[in-house]
Amino acid sequence: MTSFEPKSLSTSKLHGYLLSAVAPRPIAFASTIDTDGNPNLSPFSFFNVFSANPPIMIFSPARRVRDNTTKHTLENVEVTKEVVINVVNYDMVHQMSLSSTEYPEGINEFDKSGLTMLKSDIVKPFRVAEAPVQFECKVNDIIKLGTEGGAGNLIICEVVKLHIDEDVLDENGVINQQKLDLVARAGGSYYTRAKKGFFEIPKPLSTLGIGVDNFPEHVKNSMVLTGNDLGMLANIEALPTEESVKSFVEDLGERYSNIKTATHRQKHKLARNYLSFGDVESAWKILLS
C-alpha cells in the first residue's frame, strides 16, 4: 500500500486523491444572487444534509487551488445570507456541468446553461425549474476552514421551504428513487447515476463555452433536443464556420441524400444521434446546415 502525509503532496494532487476516494458525492446545485440582484448558479459536491430538526444542509465552495480566489457563490451568500439548493437528476446533468464554467461576474449561468429561473416563495435567489427537488434556504453561518487555495467554506443552510415535483412521488407521497434518478459526483470527469452506475462528462472548456443563450432560435427552442443535448452543444468555443458546414453536408449527402431538404425536426433527430456518440462538432454542422 502506498502511503502519504498530506503535507508531502501538492494541494492539487491531494485534492484529486480526496475527490476520487470519497465518492460518489451528492451535488448541491446552488442558486444565489448578488447585491444588485444578478443571478448566479453553480454546482458543489462538498455537500450533504446534517439535521432534520432543524432541517440543515451544508455545502462548501472551496477557494480555488490555482490562484486562491473565492467563488461568486461564496461571495453572494456572505452578503445576502440566502441560497436555493437544487438537486440534480440525469435529465439535466450536462446543463449542470456547463454551469460550472467560470464565466465572468455578472454572467447569468441560467442563460448559459438553458435552465429556467423560477421565482422562490421566501428567499430572493431563483429556483431551477427543471430540478425535481428545490430547497429554499437561509444561511445560518459560514465557517472558513482555511485561507489558502483549496480551503473549504462550510455554508450552513436552514431549509425554510422545499418543493418536490409530484412526478417523483409515489402513491403514499414518498420520493421514488427510481423516478428521481439522481446523479452524483466522483473523481476527475466521472459521475454516477443512481440507476445505472458511472459515466463521464467532459469538463467545461476553460476558454468558456458559447452557452445556450448564443444558439440559433430553432436550436434553443427545439422540440427534439433535450436539456442534456443543449448542455453538450453549448460547451464549444465557437460555432463551425459556414465553409466547414457546407463541406460536411456535401460529404454527408452521400449517406443521407435528403439532408439538404430535411426539416429542422429531421435535422435535430440526426444531430441527436451524433450527440449520443459524443460528436458535438458534427451535430452542430447538421443543425446549421
Side-chain angles (χ1 to χ4, degrees):
M1 177 173 283
T2 303
S3 302
F4 306 97
E5 291 185 2
K7 290 184 179 179
S8 69
L9 299 171
S10 67
T11 302
S12 59
K13 188 76 169 178
L14 178 58
H15 183 262
Y17 282 147
L18 292 173
L19 268 62
S20 293
V22 184
R25 301 179 306 282
I27 299 169
F29 204 11
S31 169
T32 60
I33 58 171
D34 64 17
T35 52
D36 295 324
N38 296 310
N40 182 267
L41 184 63
S42 187
F44 300 92
S45 67
F46 289 179
F47 164 63
N48 220 309
V49 58
F50 289 85
S51 172
N53 186 22
I56 298 294
M57 297 179 170
I58 301 176
F59 71 101
S60 177
R63 301 181 71 91
R64 295 184 180 91
V65 174
R66 68 176 182 276
D67 58 8
N68 196 24
T69 55
T70 56
K71 298 182 178 180
H72 297 142
T73 299
L74 175 61
E75 296 163 6
N76 289 348
V77 299
E78 285 178 327
V79 294
T80 66
K81 306 299 183 185
E82 294 183 339
V83 62
V84 176
I85 296 177
N86 306 272
V87 304
V88 178
N89 67 356
Y90 185 74
D91 288 344
M92 58 189 287
V93 65
H94 280 274
Q95 290 169 286
M96 176 278 301
S97 175
L98 181 67
S99 75
S100 69
T101 301
E102 294 186 2
Y103 291 108
E105 186 176 3
I107 295 296
N108 187 344
E109 287 84 3
F110 280 94
D111 291 339
K112 287 295 180 184
S113 60
L115 293 166
T116 308
M117 293 189 298
L118 183 63
K119 185 175 175 57
S120 296
D121 291 346
I122 297 177
V123 301
K124 291 184 177 65
F126 295 92
R127 294 179 278 151
V128 176
E130 290 81 0
V133 185
Q134 308 137 9
F135 301 95
E136 297 185 35
C137 302
K138 296 284 188 179
V139 175
N140 289 350
D141 198 6
I142 300 174
I143 301 175
K144 299 180 184 299
L145 302 180
T147 59
E148 301 299 320
N153 298 273
L154 303 185
I155 300 178
I156 302 174
C157 309
E158 182 170 349
V159 179
V160 294
K161 193 161 190 178
L162 63 153
H163 309 266
I164 305 173
D165 189 333
E166 292 180 355
D167 288 344
V168 303
L169 297 175
D170 66 17
E171 63 275 8
N172 298 312
V174 176
I175 290 178
N176 181 311
Q177 291 295 313
Q178 292 285 332
K179 292 180 179 178
L180 191 59
D181 198 12
L182 292 179
V183 296
R185 197 71 171 88
S189 59
Y190 280 94
Y191 291 78
T192 182
R193 185 179 183 183
K195 296 198 297 187
K196 294 189 176 180
F198 285 103
F199 62 96
E200 284 188 273
I201 295 180
K203 291 184 180 296
L205 296 176
S206 59
T207 49
L208 306 185
I210 62 170
V212 175
D213 55 331
N214 287 313
F215 285 9
E217 287 299 317
H218 76 89
V219 178
K220 186 190 303 184
N221 300 318
S222 174
M223 300 297 290
V224 175
L225 301 170
T226 67
N228 278 337
D229 295 332
L230 297 180
M232 293 175 70
L233 289 167
N235 191 33
I236 60 167
E237 188 174 359
L239 293 174
T241 64
E242 289 186 17
E243 184 178 343
S244 67
V245 171
K246 182 179 179 181
S247 176
F248 179 83
V249 170
E250 288 177 354
D251 292 340
L252 192 65
E254 297 178 5
R255 286 172 287 165
Y256 300 96
S257 57
N258 62 343
I259 186 64
K260 292 183 180 180
T261 59
T263 64
H264 280 327
R265 184 176 181 84
Q266 291 169 328
K267 290 179 181 178
H268 290 197
K269 286 183 176 181
L270 183 56
R272 280 206 74 191
N273 184 54
Y274 277 87
L275 288 173
S276 70
F277 295 101
D279 190 348
V280 176
E281 184 176 357
S282 295
W284 263 121
K285 288 176 179 177
I286 290 169
L287 293 170
L288 296 175
S289 65

